[in-house]
Amino acid sequence: MQRQTTAVLTMTRIAQALGLTRQAAVFGASTAAMALASFAIASLFHLPNAFWAPMAVWIVAQPSRGLLLERGVYRLLGTLAGAAVGFALLAAPLPLALALALLAGWAGGCAALTHLTRASFGYAALMAGLTASVVLLPSLAAGSASAAIALARVVCTLIGVVCVMAMGMVLLPAPPRRELLGRVRRLGGEALRQLARDESRPADDELLLSLTRLEQQLAPSHAGPLRGSSGAQVSGAFVAATLSLLAMARLTGRQPLPAPLRDALESAADALDRPARHASASAALEHAARQAQAFSPRLARLLDQLVDAENAAAAWLEPHPSRRPPRITLPTRRDTPSALIAGAAGGVVTLFAGLLVAYSGWDNAWLPAMGLCTFTMVLSSMDVPQALAPRMLQGIIVGVSLAAAFRLWLMPHAQGLGDILLMLAPFMLFGGLARASRITKIPALDGNMCFMLASQPFLQAPTALGSVLQDAGSLIASIALVALAYRLLPRDPGRRAGHLAWEMLRDIERLCGRHNSPPPDDGWYGRMYRRLLRLMIHVGRAQESGSAGHAGTLGMLNLADGVIRLRTLLQTAALTDAEHRTARQLLEALRHLRRAPDGVTRALAELPSEKQDSALAGLAAQLRHALDDTAALRRRALRFQR
């Protein structure tokens, strides 16, 4: 018994050192089994290049059932769309140069879409671009058998996707969506407590960072095929309201809250701490909103926003969920500059790869060509590819090196499919566990893909030393070239933050409008929240330091709220002629905030100070604080434009 206990403890320590939990190990071993099974199925159907089937397994496999099924469905759709384009280009009587140009245009457009649509559609677009290249590029050197080989690759991909989706349905647990909703509700409660208990300390940076990290988990945890997740919309509504509450807490010099309002906020926070499936916090939030109405219309509006999110959560948690989307939530991110970069990179590299295959005269030129296309498009779809490129290259070097050893020392001894399966099994298991480990999961994906691509495990594969080294070296060299390009020409997080800050300032300028124009709609708020979250991510990457820089981004919300309050005062408040004239001058100055910030400073100097009893005094204090809070971001935005 003691010997068994010691053995178990030893295995546990080894697993922890390798970054594996029991659940992760099961996922890794299951993925390896499905990869091997898909290869066997494709081989039994005598499909050429059956190793494309396990490649689909590796790329689709995810530890979450919802995300795996979503990726599987969109991989199918993307594969079919890309295959249709690839076969159309293959069959059309077009000059080779025109066919390659059209392929490059298709690949570039698909790469750009990864930054313009929600993640699932972006993944389908990525696969559509890659599949067209998979169909056309290797077929350029295949002669009369090109169409059959291309079709076999598409069928192998579909076999792999079906296998991995079957594994997900049977083995993987459902994601903890309700637990995620509970966490985001509790963060909203913490923001309410911060308002209730502290009238002077700026917003808690750790709470803000927790909220940002949690928001990044919403899409994967609520993933599901062919639909937008109402659960993600509900959680996103809580994130949006909590951001504005934290922005309010960041304002200094605020009036102390009345005791009844403070008690109501504490009660609402306690209600949000309780699981939503047991009791709704709507009544406590509505009571707090009524208490806040006379003191702060902004706080009352945010509490109403939380009520709306809580009611949407209650509808989502019903046994038969009704679709009741919240009014304000986080929209799909759209990053036009990144889309342009990704489109240009994907198109140019695909064209270069096509020319390499068509005119090099090398039968296996498609191997480095596919490495160029795949690695470029995958990296282009990422927010900060230069950070991941080196790790992905490490995995590729390991995968290709193992593939070369497999072809040189094992494949010459294979007499049939059974031998190949036995030889592949330990490599598959190693790759599956590496993919499941939290330490090696990023490089392992590309390592597994390139192992299958370079090992070419079929009986007729060339195993001569020169041929193997040429294939392995060309594949590594092509991918290393792409990685080096991204390292030498990195995307600057500071520049990305400057672009986002510029867009938010532009939205605030547009918000000024004319003094009698309508107030912003719910969609405007949603876009601001989405940009703010992305801004915090890029500011953190740019500074690589303390979280104070993150919290300063909340000043953008306070600045926008100040503009709304100013317009409201101009329409409803009983201002003197002098105050009305000064307020109009300030609104006009805010319309040129990006280009002429000194004009805003001069206009604010004309407004009453906090000590004066005036409707404009509190607004002036808020705008002064927000301008100080956003000074660094506004300077960054100006540098971006220059």
Side-chain angles (χ1 to χ4, degrees), residues 136-154:
L136 186 60
L137 294 185
S139 301
L140 295 179
S144 59
S146 60
I149 292 176
L151 180 61
R153 290 191 176 110
V154 173

Side-chain angles (χ1 to χ4, degrees), residues 340-383:
L340 294 174
I341 294 171
V348 169
V349 171
T350 300
L351 180 60
F352 174 77
L355 294 174
L356 174 67
V357 175
Y359 297 107
S360 67
W362 176 22
D363 290 342
N364 265 9
W366 64 270
L367 191 62
M370 288 309 306
L372 284 171
C373 292
T374 303
F375 202 52
T376 299
M377 291 191 66
V378 169
L379 280 173
S380 296
S381 68
M382 299 175 178
D383 277 336

Side-chain angles (χ1 to χ4, degrees), residues 579 582-583 586 603-609 612 616 619-620 623-624:
E579 288 175 335
T582 302
L586 175 59
L604 276 173
E606 300 296 326
L607 291 181
S609 66
Q612 294 176 262
L616 287 174
L619 172 61
L623 285 173
R624 290 187 186 107

Side-chain angles (χ1 to χ4, degrees), residues 565-597:
R565 286 182 62 190
L566 179 60
R567 287 179 49 186
T568 303
L569 283 175
L570 283 169
Q571 295 176 30
T572 62
L575 300 177
T576 65
D577 290 342
E579 288 175 335
H580 193 276
R581 184 170 56 254
T582 302
R584 289 290 300 275
Q585 291 173 352
L586 175 59
L587 191 63
E588 180 62 30
L590 285 166
R591 291 193 185 102
H592 307 283
L593 174 62
R594 291 176 296 171
R595 300 294 187 184

Side-chain angles (χ1 to χ4, degrees), residues 216-236:
Q216 293 177 285
Q217 301 176 32
L218 294 184
S221 296
H222 289 283
L226 299 177
R227 63 183 177 86
S229 172
S230 57
Q233 291 178 336
V234 169
S235 297

Side-chain angles (χ1 to χ4, degrees), residues 120-139:
S120 52
F121 290 112
Y123 180 69
L126 178 65
M127 291 300 105
L130 287 176
T131 302
S133 301
V134 166
V135 169
L136 186 60
L137 294 185
S139 301

